[in-house]
Amino acid sequence: MIKLKDLLIEKKLRVFDFDDTLVKTDSKIYVTNNGKTKTLTPGEYAIYKPKSDDEFDFKDFNDVIKPKQIKPIMKVFRKIVGATGKRKINILTARGNYKPIKKFLSDIGFPGIYIVALDSSNPQDKADWIEDKIKKGYDDVVFWDDSSKNIKVVDKLRKKYPDTKIKTQLVRY
């Protein structure tokens, strides 16, 4: 006897952050406060606690500057891209411009990966994007990110969608 659940096909979504998850770059974030400017790496920015009068400049994120692949997670990425079966693979980045990432991925052999440039460092924006995909029927979601803030907000989706498999992976390299 065939059960209904056996007929349902999972819709798999695999989501990777870019900076400091798949690739380390020399791109910096410039923070100006009281006329003094300092630079942060994407990793430092992920844990930075902004002050109310901070001004941010993300000009470096118009390019992928001196990219170095983070080998352990790139190995996972390659395996998932090459796996059999149907799954949607996305890069979900806080950057405002997807084109440099698209070019980088194409140059290393991944021309068809869809990139979402949120133009926002607000962790809730990543969770909202993933939630939108869950509402569109994705019921098996895995999310890799180097920011514990981003992981925490996506983890909250588990309570809201108990029938959806949601796995998060905090990437440390």
Side-chain angles (χ1 to χ4, degrees), residues 28-64:
K28 305 283 187 236
I29 297 99
Y30 301 89
V31 183
T32 302
N33 188 304
N34 293 325
K36 295 181 182 176
T37 301
K38 65 180 174 180
T39 59
L40 301 172
T41 67
E44 291 168 335
Y45 179 71
I47 58 172
Y48 181 75
K49 296 193 186 318
K51 297 165 188 66
S52 61
D53 51 350
D54 280 348
E55 294 178 20
F56 297 94
D57 183 344
F58 298 92
K59 63 186 172 199
D60 279 7
F61 288 94
N62 289 323
D63 294 305
V64 175

Side-chain angles (χ1 to χ4, degrees), residues 15 92 126 130 141-145 150-151 154 167-169:
V15 183
L92 184 59
K126 285 192 175 185
I130 291 171
V141 178
V142 185
F143 173 58
W144 290 264
D145 201 302
N150 294 340
I151 293 294
V154 172
K167 180 180 177 189
T168 56
Q169 183 67 48

Side-chain angles (χ1 to χ4, degrees), residues 41-155:
T41 67
E44 291 168 335
Y45 179 71
I47 58 172
Y48 181 75
K49 296 193 186 318
K51 297 165 188 66
S52 61
D53 51 350
D54 280 348
E55 294 178 20
F56 297 94
D57 183 344
F58 298 92
K59 63 186 172 199
D60 279 7
F61 288 94
N62 289 323
D63 294 305
V64 175
I65 300 171
K66 295 183 184 175
K68 295 171 200 77
Q69 295 179 38
I70 299 171
K71 290 182 181 177
I73 194 69
M74 281 302 292
K75 185 176 179 181
V76 170
F77 181 76
R78 278 187 179 84
K79 185 177 179 181
I80 289 171
V81 170
T84 59
K86 191 173 179 184
R87 63 190 46 81
K88 183 172 177 69
I89 301 168
N90 289 97
I91 304 297
L92 184 59
T93 180
R95 289 176 180 242
N97 185 358
Y98 74 92
K99 290 177 182 175
I101 296 171
K102 184 104 178 137
K103 181 182 179 335
F104 169 78
L105 289 174
S106 188
D107 288 350
I108 64 168
F110 301 105
I113 303 299
Y114 187 71
I115 296 130
V116 177
L118 292 172
D119 196 22
S120 169
S121 60
N122 182 341
Q124 189 60 50
D125 290 340
K126 285 192 175 185
D128 290 347
W129 185 88
I130 291 171
E131 181 175 19
D132 180 63
K133 299 304 169 230
I134 292 169
K135 287 177 180 177
K136 290 179 178 171
Y138 287 93
D139 57 2
D140 182 343
V141 178
V142 185
F143 173 58
W144 290 264
D145 201 302
D146 67 297
S147 167
S148 59
K149 293 178 199 175
N150 294 340
I151 293 294
K152 282 181 186 176
V153 294
V154 172
D155 280 342

